[in-house]
Amino acid sequence: MKFDPAQIREAAKEDFDQTWQKGGEYLFHPAVNEQYPRISCHYGTPHPIFDTISKLREAYLRLGFSEAMNPVIVEAQEVYRQFGSEALAVLDRCFYLAGLPRPDIGISDQRIAQINVILKRELSADEVEAVRQILHGYKKGQVEGDDLVQEIAKAINAHDALVSQILEAVFPEFKGLKAEATSRTLRSHMTSGWFLTLSNLHYRQKLPIKLFSVDRCFRREQAEDAARLMSYHSASCVIMDEDVCVDDGKAIADGLLSQFGFQKFRFQPDDKRSKYYTPGTQIEVYAFHPALVGSATKYGSGWVEVATFGIYSPTALSQYDIPYPVMNLGLGVERIAMILHNSQDMRGLSYPQFQADWELTAREMAQMITVDKSPSTDTGRAISRAIVETSIKHGDTPSPCEFLAWEGQLLGRP
Amino acid sequence: MKFDPAQIREAAKEDFDQTWQKGGEYLFHPAVNEQYPRISCHYGTPHPIFDTISKLREAYLRLGFSEAMNPVIVEAQEVYRQFGSEALAVLDRCFYLAGLPRPDIGISDQRIAQINVILKRELSADEVEAVRQILHGYKKGQVEGDDLVQEIAKAINAHDALVSQILEAVFPEFKGLKAEATSRTLRSHMTSGWFLTLSNLHYRQKLPIKLFSVDRCFRREQAEDAARLMSYHSASCVIMDEDVCVDDGKAIADGLLSQFGFQKFRFQPDDKRSKYYTPGTQIEVYAFHPALVGSATKYGSGWVEVATFGIYSPTALSQYDIPYPVMNLGLGVERIAMILHNSQDMRGLSYPQFQADWELTAREMAQMITVDKSPSTDTGRAISRAIVETSIKHGDTPSPCEFLAWEGQLLGRP
Amino acid sequence: MKFDPAQIREAAKEDFDQTWQKGGEYLFHPAVNEQYPRISCHYGTPHPIFDTISKLREAYLRLGFSEAMNPVIVEAQEVYRQFGSEALAVLDRCFYLAGLPRPDIGISDQRIAQINVILKRELSADEVEAVRQILHGYKKGQVEGDDLVQEIAKAINAHDALVSQILEAVFPEFKGLKAEATSRTLRSHMTSGWFLTLSNLHYRQKLPIKLFSVDRCFRREQAEDAARLMSYHSASCVIMDEDVCVDDGKAIADGLLSQFGFQKFRFQPDDKRSKYYTPGTQIEVYAFHPALVGSATKYGSGWVEVATFGIYSPTALSQYDIPYPVMNLGLGVERIAMILHNSQDMRGLSYPQFQADWELTAREMAQMITVDKSPSTDTGRAISRAIVETSIKHGDTPSPCEFLAWEGQLLGRP
Amino acid sequence: MKFDPAQIREAAKEDFDQTWQKGGEYLFHPAVNEQYPRISCHYGTPHPIFDTISKLREAYLRLGFSEAMNPVIVEAQEVYRQFGSEALAVLDRCFYLAGLPRPDIGISDQRIAQINVILKRELSADEVEAVRQILHGYKKGQVEGDDLVQEIAKAINAHDALVSQILEAVFPEFKGLKAEATSRTLRSHMTSGWFLTLSNLHYRQKLPIKLFSVDRCFRREQAEDAARLMSYHSASCVIMDEDVCVDDGKAIADGLLSQFGFQKFRFQPDDKRSKYYTPGTQIEVYAFHPALVGSATKYGSGWVEVATFGIYSPTALSQYDIPYPVMNLGLGVERIAMILHNSQDMRGLSYPQFQADWELTAREMAQMITVDKSPSTDTGRAISRAIVETSIKHGDTPSPCEFLAWEGQLLGRP
């Protein structure tokens, strides 16, 4: 509590030690519900995936790569250009984008009658024409779907709730709408985007071009499980240069992963021979992390597969008129995050809120337990402290026994 | 170049000053193409959008918000629960997800014959059965699309390139595949996800719950322009507490934006009355940034609209069995990034590689200009330096004139 | 406030719009002192100097420099090795370190008598011997100064306050102690440390060695002013390599400063010719920052001197047996911070708490103004809102006038 | 190497698979010295102490503390105000600052004669007077020590090297200079500064005031060892508020340390009862870190002492006219860094460059081993690859044996 410095200075001048000893009298004693760990110093916690993204970005920047944003929406046609005969298999795993069609809606006399009933008045010819124009504009894409209600409400001077009711009751065309697929897809990995990006850079930037991107990708999985999510994050980079080679992939893998505590690396040709890589250059990176040694996972040896790299095939690059070889290395953010956070389930790490098994530490539980009623006055709190201290002091005395814990005035009476 | 410390120490002991003066003799003189600014100290540059995301995350964390990841794929049904009669208008702006169907493919005798021609041998009955099983498994989702070629290749012991050719030539079903839409959508803003997340937290965490997320959203635009992208980033937060109110929105807007240099704030009720907000609580945030004052944008006054907040409607919350009011504030990352980077076009800021007008600074141009041929020996470089120095020294002499720039031995001859 | 989702769901099923409209009834209305801007969302703010240090570290790391810690305490002798005949002038600007001597204290009979008086008992011979040993150990450096009181208190079984009193009254030797200077100095710039560090690295690391350090330096100024502090921060780097040259300094200056928004650079030989640099290589860096243009400082042209670099002299390097040339670039952190924060006074930027002129923004003042008494019940707050609303509504009515603002029960009575 | 996209596109149109297979022909094959791990992707590494400082700053900011800079130079008098009778013991562990005196130097005729000999000419009366004025100005502090040589050189129009020689030969007063101690000290911990800072804030900022600082402190140790450095870093914070109490210290310790992976906490009253803390409030924080469990340190139990906190004594606060209690918590940065980096020696962690035992990983050694001579032409490299491949292929053949590894033209001859 607040004190008077002048008075304490005076007292200390006379007897420093005694004044110092009495300092405790100014201490605040919180009620039981305001004591640690019930009170805590709250701080915001980062999400493990986004935290890992942030660390990966910094690691790439420190390796001298510049950050790019690649298109997340890619025409299916691009997949054909990049994958050749493999395209169909790849597209099977892609999400396509679809959208609701905009119905062509006429206003018959019968419909006008229905509207009049809801409005409890008759629409004028001008108003009917205005509504017709709006519906036509909506069909043509000139009026946005989320402006439709507001526009009609303004045109016929009605409350927007009423208009919503009209659209629902009078125009069943809206209700039965079914989305229609387009030829656009969501990228299933970052490579789709790199071809587009590099085809626009190779002729106007100095080589080498070193770029990275850490961003969302989408895979159309039959189901999500501990190791697969429909939307995941890829941390991908490219080097375009005349003399790029497999050793660059090894050096980048080493330079990137050693920033995360990995200490040794093994490189193994991939069984899968993707058509967008030059044959023989698609390589899996295995890395050793000391913190994994002895862990109760399948990585107890400390070794884990963490990345893949390869040299883009001249065949695929030529489709984009790119005349230089390109090294591409990519890794799954969720996978690295699982290793760093000792997690067994990608879903639990990404979406803890949806997990049925919810764990509380002893401290979190202690923080949630409060006493229902506790003294609210200084005297009340002093009594409660006195009782606790007396109990501790005489805890070993065999009962029955009786001790004075506190004596004083309460509510002005002794 | 390397020198001999012992020898220099000796010389300095005799004549410090003269030895010091001669230090320049050990200097390396780079050839013209290796001189600044042709050589530069390259560093990786962050992307303005991802950099802004990183700053927004830190700003939310410093305000005591914890980070969450919300589902990016949301059933259309959820939009109905959250928006009521407004849902249709919202869904008009959403992308639905679609995917390629898996055709039911039989193997007739005629097809076997076609395969045999390509393979230049006859498939055995066992092989035919194996292929039939694989195609059936694929239809059932037990064989992934991107494993199909490899599985068949293994079953009939053929090269995967041949198998690709077979699939293309013999099974036209694959070619004609058209994606089919599902009832799943990509979130058009973060709110879709917050309802799902909060409905799983309100009964097991201490209030207040303060969460944020900065992540991708998708809007089905007719077209992209300087202010609209189909995929953008939302920086959104929620506070769930018994006594949450409009003033919390103002305080958060102030606390968040003042970390980005905004200094004054104005709050204005939004004309749009979204159904997932309590009526009267949807508020637009205008903020003043000193760096905007006098800029050649429409924000030359320094004032700009940067965020919107509101209190989720009990009607919408009740659909998710959430019994507490929730304040929600959101802002567009691209918009903030444009303000911070003084940009007029969201496309140019996000995807500079796709912009036709490519700007180079004087320094970048200087770095790209090199001399085609330059001396590669020390003597050669000394001669070139001598010529430059002589030219500078006698530059004002009227021509014709002649000066000795360098004298010495070249290739062992004087 | 908390609500009942089941009940609201029921109501919405019957009449969605009306239920939605009534959502406002669940809103919390804070008392006037709990309204924005009196409530604010507090966040911790970084200090501009330490924030700039953090940015400089990141900028150096992104340029591929590794971070080192150099000794902050340096023997005066090292300055002689590095600066030769210039050393004296440099040492004039250095702080030397000094320390209190440890007095040789005997315990005479007279002193024992004095102690006995204070203790109100007689020390035994063993106790006297123990105290003598402790004082001897203290003199020898075996007993630390801050353990002295505790050790004696233990030895003679007395309260430490009493012992403090004894030391003060009986041993005046302590009181008169004067610090004595040593031959150790605090580095006045980072170069002192680089020579020591590099002399231990040149033979065991691969070249080039690229190191940086951002840390405190000390200058013995006659007085501190707007541009000079006795303790400031230097952001310094070195490159040791066979072919290091002046162009490397230009490239590093450019690479480092362009990360802080500087756009153009000019290099000018320094008039000062420090002896630890090779003659002709000491160069001042001027940089152009667009945010400075038109500012009310002496840098209104946008150009400002921000760094100095040079090639260490072989003469100085040889003193440390270093056989390779070294490029060294350094800049003052406080100077960069002043430019970035538009500050005119280094003291105000570093130590705002000690500045007499304390500025408050309008918002900070608004946050400090509170109403002394405000209603604490829901009804009370409703009345106060009603009065405010009624006043606004009828504000233009000429007085005298009277309006009903609120009607209802108070304390159970109408 | 660069290729021709048009040509490859053409080839792929005719035979995709064969063209894809031939992609490897465009691969660059680096010479043995340019292969991984000899080439590596270098990145700058942060220093463990400064990295820990950066993390501590962020952790404090996320707890809502604002950053302050406290004075590093503190008058000895302040220590007396804060520590009372304990001050002497504290000052015994402090460094005092000292500085070289500026000698009063006259110019006798004899000295003028000596100067003339060195200059090989006679100084004019004006020049002598000018030198006298400069020496006088230097004594008075109007001429800085590091400007002395330059000023004299200008005044007598002589080379600065000559002037250095004159000062050395003619004015022995400079040589014999001994530093003299002042009453200023370097702070031995952060508390010295907090009292100064808070005494300027308590009357002009809203409570609570929450500040932190992570910065250098200095202790005059007899010697440095694995656990003690003369200059170390303290990470310290204060909360000033009317009702600050011991539970705040516990909550802050928990909130700060749990951000570094500590999971459980134990609080134990400190035996040492510093006079600037209220008696009974000085508490040591022990924390449990899972990564320590089973480590080969004295912390194998996982428990380690990491911080101390207390409530400043009203006696000490009153000396600064501060009327509110203050909670202060501090921890040693080097100690936390040692725990996080599994280090046993503070010197090795701070100054690896000065450690005699220098460890290299297998990878670092591999990077340092290069082949002295390696082929520099494409053909040469192809031959060397062919030899390696042939050796691997026939490695098991018993010798003597002979194989053709490569055949072709060399230097234009078969």
Side-chain angles (χ1 to χ4, degrees), chain B residues 73-94:
Chain B
I73 299 173
V74 174
E75 281 292 328
Q77 190 52 36
E78 303 296 337
V79 178
Y80 281 101
R81 289 169 78 185
Q82 293 160 24
F83 288 84
S85 57
E86 237 183 334
L88 200 73
V90 172
L91 287 169
D92 180 71
R93 301 295 292 276
C94 286

Side-chain angles (χ1 to χ4, degrees), chain B residues 107-386:
Chain B
I107 316 193
S108 62
D109 287 353
Q110 187 190 353
R111 288 183 163 186
I112 294 172
Q114 284 177 288
I115 296 174
N116 290 347
V117 167
I118 297 173
L119 287 179
K120 296 177 185 159
R121 71 172 178 88
E122 299 220 348
L123 286 179
S124 71
D126 279 3
E127 285 174 330
V128 169
E129 181 53 28
V131 173
R132 181 171 285 133
Q133 288 303 327
I134 291 167
L135 289 171
H136 188 67
Y138 164 70
K139 167 71 187 168
K140 293 284 172 206
Q142 293 145 356
V143 174
E144 290 295 350
D146 42 7
D147 294 334
L148 191 59
V149 167
Q150 236 176 342
E151 295 261 331
I152 295 178
K154 214 191 296 169
I156 64 174
N157 197 24
H159 198 278
D160 51 7
L162 267 190
V163 175
S164 288
Q165 202 183 324
I166 289 169
L167 290 185
E168 216 170 347
V170 182
F171 303 99
E173 290 95 331
F174 287 110
K175 273 235 157 144
L177 292 180
K178 288 250 171 300
E180 293 168 2
T182 68
S183 60
R184 284 177 288 185
T185 70
L186 292 173
R187 67 178 167 215
S188 61
H189 59 351
M190 202 56 88
T191 284
S192 327
W194 284 131
F195 278 92
L196 295 166
T197 290
L198 292 172
S199 69
N200 281 281
L201 291 179
H202 69 85
Y203 54 87
R204 56 183 183 184
Q205 272 197 359
K206 246 180 109 173
L207 298 186
I209 294 179
K210 294 171 68 179
L211 297 175
F212 80 93
S213 182
V214 187
D215 207 348
R216 279 198 181 274
C217 293
F218 295 82
R219 285 177 69 85
R220 183 177 163 234
E221 306 284 0
Q222 299 292 325
E224 301 196 321
D225 60 29
R228 282 192 298 190
L229 294 175
M230 301 219 191
S231 176
Y232 72 101
H233 293 83
S234 166
S236 178
C237 72
V238 286
I239 306 181
M240 177 160 73
D241 202 3
E242 291 216 10
D243 286 347
V244 143
C245 66
V246 166
D247 291 84
D248 292 305
K250 294 178 182 174
I252 298 295
D254 180 326
L256 185 68
L257 293 164
S258 60
Q259 296 187 55
F260 288 83
F262 291 97
Q263 293 179 343
K264 294 183 247 178
F265 304 94
R266 242 173 28 212
F267 303 99
Q268 202 164 297
D270 197 337
D271 285 343
K272 221 178 199 174
R273 292 149 32 98
S274 304
K275 282 291 183 297
Y276 61 93
Y277 282 137
T278 304
T281 68
Q282 185 171 350
I283 287 166
E284 291 176 328
V285 182
Y286 290 80
F288 172 85
H289 200 299
L292 289 174
V293 175
S295 66
T297 66
K298 53 178 173 169
Y299 310 122
S301 69
W303 285 94
V304 54
E305 196 211 326
V306 277
T308 302
F309 67 84
I311 311 285
Y312 282 158
S313 154
T315 327
L317 290 165
S318 291
Q319 293 296 321
Y320 290 86
D321 220 23
I322 300 172
Y324 303 108
V326 172
M327 197 291 296
N328 162 244
L329 176 140
L331 50 83
V333 173
E334 279 78 5
R335 195 174 172 72
I336 294 287
M338 284 171 78
I339 295 169
L340 298 179
H341 289 82
N342 200 20
S343 160
Q344 310 294 325
D345 191 325
M346 211 175 264
R347 295 164 301 184
L349 196 64
S350 296
Y351 304 107
Q353 68 267 41
F354 300 137
Q355 306 311 306
D357 51 329
W358 187 259
E359 271 179 40
L360 288 172
T361 65
R363 198 159 94 257
E364 285 169 324
M365 279 185 282
Q367 287 174 349
M368 286 177 168
I369 298 168
T370 55
V371 172
D372 193 29
K373 280 177 182 160
S374 74
S376 64
T377 63
D378 283 349
T379 313
R381 286 200 290 269
I383 294 173
S384 92
R385 276 201 309 282

Side-chain angles (χ1 to χ4, degrees), chain C residues 22 36 43 66 94 160 190 198 240 263 297 352 366 388 392:
Chain C
K22 282 165 85 173
Y36 176 87
Y43 57 93
S66 284
C94 285
D160 53 7
M190 200 56 87
L198 291 173
M240 177 159 73
Q263 293 178 345
T297 65
V388 169
I392 289 169

